[in-house]
């Protein structure tokens, strides 16, 4: 059960408390360290999937834990950014509610023997959220770039993708099981 891909996924979850602790004391150094931890965590998401497929180490544990680790990472960072007053709460609410809704739909589908796979919009949403969170976590100007403003603009694009991909899942679910 604890192969390399699953260990990378567990690392992603274990990185969350470090990111949050560093953000509790925001300054250029702690935010830089939090950004590095976040980037490493995001890269483990790419690495674990690649490794699992390449070396045929896909497990049911990994199928369950990998998307959960992503949700824990993204939701925790969003909540912390709200706590710091760096983003409005409505953005975190939209992202988290969408994740809960899609997870619920997938559970219902699984109970009926169907799999609702991630579509391209869901994958684009995840990538855009991750890209947006990097400058938001760092937060301080870098080489004359207002990273907080850049991150916020990218996050607005991520919110649009979040809403669209959530709608797409709802519509797909309704088409299959709607009465």
């Amino acid at each position: 059960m604890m192969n390399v891909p699953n260990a990378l996924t567990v690392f992603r979850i274990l990185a969350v408390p470090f990111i949050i602790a560093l953000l509790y004391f925001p300054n250029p150094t702690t935010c830089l360290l939090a950004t590095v931890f976040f980037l490493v965590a995001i890269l483990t998401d790419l690495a674990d999937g690649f490794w699992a497929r390449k070396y045929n180490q896909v497990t049911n544990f990994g199928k369950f834990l990998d998307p959960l680790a992503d949700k824990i990472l993204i939701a925790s960072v969003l909540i912390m950014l709200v706590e710091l007053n760096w983003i409005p709460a409505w953005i975190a609410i939209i992202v988290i509610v969408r994740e809960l809704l899609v997870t619920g739909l997938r559970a219902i589908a699984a109970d009926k023997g169907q799999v609702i796979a991630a579509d391209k919009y869901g994958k684009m949403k995840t990538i855009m959220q991750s890209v947006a969170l990097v400058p938001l976590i760092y937060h301080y100007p870098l080489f004359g770039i207002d990273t907080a403003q850049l991150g916020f603009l990218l996050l607005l694009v991520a919110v649009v993708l979040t809403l669209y991909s959530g709608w797409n899942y709802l519509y797909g679910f309704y088409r299959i099981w709607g009465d």
Side-chain angles (χ1 to χ4, degrees):
M1 184 165 83
M2 194 47 70
N3 57 24
V4 171
N6 292 344
L8 290 170
T9 301
V10 169
F11 169 80
R12 192 160 62 254
I13 294 170
L14 295 176
V16 171
F18 292 99
I19 296 167
I20 299 308
L22 288 163
L23 287 174
Y24 248 101
F25 305 98
N27 66 58
T29 302
T30 59
C31 288
L32 176 61
L33 290 171
T35 303
V36 169
F37 269 98
F38 182 79
L39 282 169
V40 170
I42 291 301
L43 291 175
T44 66
D45 189 25
L46 297 172
D48 67 16
F50 171 78
W51 188 286
R53 287 184 294 278
K54 181 172 181 168
Y55 296 105
N56 196 28
Q57 293 184 351
V58 175
T59 65
N60 287 334
F61 179 71
K63 287 180 191 176
F64 165 76
L65 197 60
D66 183 65
L68 182 61
D70 296 341
K71 289 166 183 42
I72 291 168
L73 177 64
I74 299 294
S76 298
V77 168
L78 287 171
I79 291 167
M80 192 62 207
L81 295 176
V82 169
E83 169 71 17
L84 292 167
N85 204 27
W86 291 356
I87 65 167
W90 64 266
I91 289 177
I93 291 167
I94 287 172
V95 172
I96 293 168
V97 167
R98 183 262 183 216
E99 295 305 330
L100 292 172
L101 183 64
V102 169
T103 300
L105 292 176
R106 284 183 168 154
I108 292 168
D111 188 52
K112 295 181 181 226
Q114 297 286 326
V115 174
I116 300 178
D119 66 6
K120 67 180 178 181
Y121 300 109
K123 291 176 183 178
M124 287 171 41
K125 175 256 331 164
T126 301
I127 291 167
M128 185 54 85
Q129 286 174 354
S130 300
V131 168
L133 289 176
V134 170
L136 280 166
I137 293 168
Y138 182 69
H139 190 71
Y140 293 92
L142 185 64
F143 305 117
I145 298 170
D146 183 346
T147 59
Q149 185 177 23
L150 172 63
F152 185 74
L153 292 173
L154 292 170
L155 191 58
L156 290 177
V157 173
V159 167
V160 170
L161 285 169
T162 298
L163 288 168
Y164 184 78
S165 69
W167 169 254
N168 207 34
Y169 278 106
L170 278 171
Y171 180 72
F173 184 83
Y174 176 77
R175 281 189 34 216
I176 294 170
W177 288 290
D179 295 319

